[in-house]
Amino acid sequence: MKITRVETFLVPPRWLFCRVETDDGVVGWGEPVVEGRAEVVRAAVDVLAEYLLGKDPAHIQDHWQVLSKGGFYRGGPVLSSAVAGLDQALWDIAGKTYGAPVHALLGGPVRERARVYAWVGGDEPSALAEQVAAQVDAGFTAVKMNAAGVTSPLTTPAETAAVVERVAVAREVLGAHRDVAVDFHGRLTPASARRVLPELAPLHPLFAEEPLLPDQAHLLPALVAASPVPLATGERLYSRADFLPALTAGIAVAQPDLSHAGGITEVLRIAALAETYGALLAPHCPLGPIALAASLQVAWVTPHFLIQEQSRGIHYNRRDADLLSYVVDTEPFRFTEGHAHRTDLPGLGVEIDEAAVRAADRRGHAWRNPVWRQPDGSFAEW
């Protein structure tokens, strides 16, 4: 079997899909994207495809090594995301070739179902209680919310109180038997994080995500020691080497993204490394159906898996498309009692509506994240 064609598709709301075709007709799909920089990743996929054409798609481990390291310069979000999508597609081809789900090729499942969480508001908290209640009514047992909007370099008493109030609103609706995770999106300075996190402890968050920027990993040990709330990070870390400082610092939850951190091949290695540090795995995935399908294949085989992010109803998707817009069979993404249920469908376990994808690519998108400013006009983390 040889790879004969690699195509990419820029599909709303903000995704990039890739399609890898073989000479015997087996097709694999992947999702290589950096949100807001999808066109750049598309160019990277095109360059990497030059190597893959004519190669045997079954040599996944070797292809990962060459795609990640063969250009001498390596790492970073663009290259790692391009490799991630191609890696997903190669695993999809492998499963379809053998007539087996990817989790079977990885040694078999360790669970029947995987807990998932839903996104709710937080930047603008006025409708937060209603949003949380809607997710509870939909059967979810956990939600994640942004902690705050634009945040001062040193949080004021009012800003600290507002973060606590927002999480308290969610906790009131959720009760004591459901969970709320709080995403800080790197918007806190180290001093502000030490100020805010202890105030949240009585509300028992599942975890506090990205309280610091990823380039401040050297400050994580002190924050872990000071925080009574479990800390999570990883959506902007792209390799085992990137994760090592965070894990040695003592984070509780590792959050690699299957579309950013080198795909299934590298995330499995990140997961194994996390296990040696006692950290749980909660893959980041506010993206499309292929990324989620790949994430779930990892969840099925990872003993220390905690919970899976998914994007149904997320605010990024509301205008143009949603998680189910490009799939033929929605059953693999039917969540009951707050869980996704394992299937034995071949490959990644998702059937992509190719006609819908090609039509969407003709429209394309140019999604960009907003640029925030402090009241004095200086840049603020989004």
Side-chain angles (χ1 to χ4, degrees), residues 21-358:
E21 183 177 342
T22 66
D23 56 359
D24 69 352
V26 179
V27 171
W29 288 87
E31 196 168 331
V33 67
V34 174
E35 304 94 297
R37 299 293 183 267
E39 304 93 330
V40 184
V41 181
R42 185 177 216 176
V45 172
D46 289 343
V47 172
L48 295 178
E50 297 171 4
Y51 167 79
L52 286 176
L53 292 176
K55 300 294 194 300
D56 184 341
H59 297 175
I60 298 173
Q61 297 289 347
D62 185 63
H63 294 331
W64 190 94
Q65 295 292 324
V66 174
L67 295 176
S68 297
K69 304 174 182 178
F72 183 70
Y73 297 99
R74 58 188 71 175
V78 172
L79 177 60
S80 296
S81 297
V83 172
L86 291 167
D87 181 80
Q88 294 169 15
L90 295 179
W91 279 107
D92 196 27
I93 290 171
K96 291 172 178 175
T97 300
Y98 292 109
V102 168
H103 64 73
L105 306 184
L106 300 176
V110 297
R111 60 179 45 81
E112 298 294 324
R113 60 182 193 160
R115 193 183 186 200
V116 300
Y117 63 80
W119 257 97
V120 295
D123 287 349
E124 299 297 334
S126 58
L128 185 58
E130 292 84 354
Q131 292 171 4
V132 176
Q135 299 299 351
V136 170
D137 290 343
F140 289 98
T141 62
V143 299
K144 188 168 82 175
M145 57 181 286
N146 281 325
V150 175
T151 304
S152 300
L154 284 174
T155 52
T156 64
E159 287 175 325
T160 300
V163 173
V164 175
E165 181 181 356
R166 289 168 180 167
V167 181
V169 168
R171 172 57 66 205
E172 177 68 22
V173 177
L174 292 166
H177 299 289
R178 300 182 185 91
D179 284 308
V180 57
V182 185
D183 190 353
F184 286 94
H185 231 239
R187 295 170 186 167
L188 296 182
T189 60
S192 291
R194 289 193 298 272
R195 175 176 284 173
V196 171
L197 288 168
E199 298 297 318
L200 288 178
L203 296 168
H204 208 88
L206 180 65
F207 54 75
E209 177 175 337
E210 232 181 13
L212 300 181
L213 291 166
D215 54 4
Q216 295 173 327
H218 58 292
L219 302 176
L220 269 174
L223 187 61
V224 169
S227 175
V229 177
L231 302 187
T233 196
E235 70 181 86
R236 291 186 276 185
L237 304 176
Y238 312 115
S239 68
R240 287 159 285 167
D242 287 348
F243 269 90
L244 186 58
L247 292 168
T248 57
I251 62 166
V253 182
Q255 298 176 293
D257 189 306
L258 270 289
S259 282
H260 300 329
I264 291 172
T265 298
E266 180 69 355
V267 169
L268 286 171
R269 297 177 180 136
I270 292 168
L273 181 64
E275 186 176 20
T276 66
Y277 284 91
L280 301 169
L281 190 76
H284 179 261
C285 189
L287 296 170
I290 306 169
L292 180 56
S295 298
L296 288 171
Q297 295 300 322
V298 171
W300 303 136
V301 300
T302 301
H304 54 296
F305 167 82
L306 175 66
I307 198 166
Q308 176 63 56
E309 181 173 25
Q310 55 81 34
S311 68
R312 280 181 64 178
I314 198 170
H315 47 292
Y316 301 119
N317 303 349
R318 288 173 185 162
R319 290 186 299 175
D320 301 305
D322 204 346
L323 180 68
L324 306 180
S325 297
Y326 304 110
V327 300
V328 174
D329 179 11
T330 62
E331 183 64 19
F333 302 121
R334 182 172 63 87
F335 307 132
T336 59
E337 298 179 340
H339 288 76
H341 298 269
R342 201 187 77 237
T343 77
D344 291 320
L345 296 171
L348 294 178
V350 58
E351 184 180 357
I352 296 299
D353 185 340
E354 187 171 324
V357 169
R358 292 186 181 277

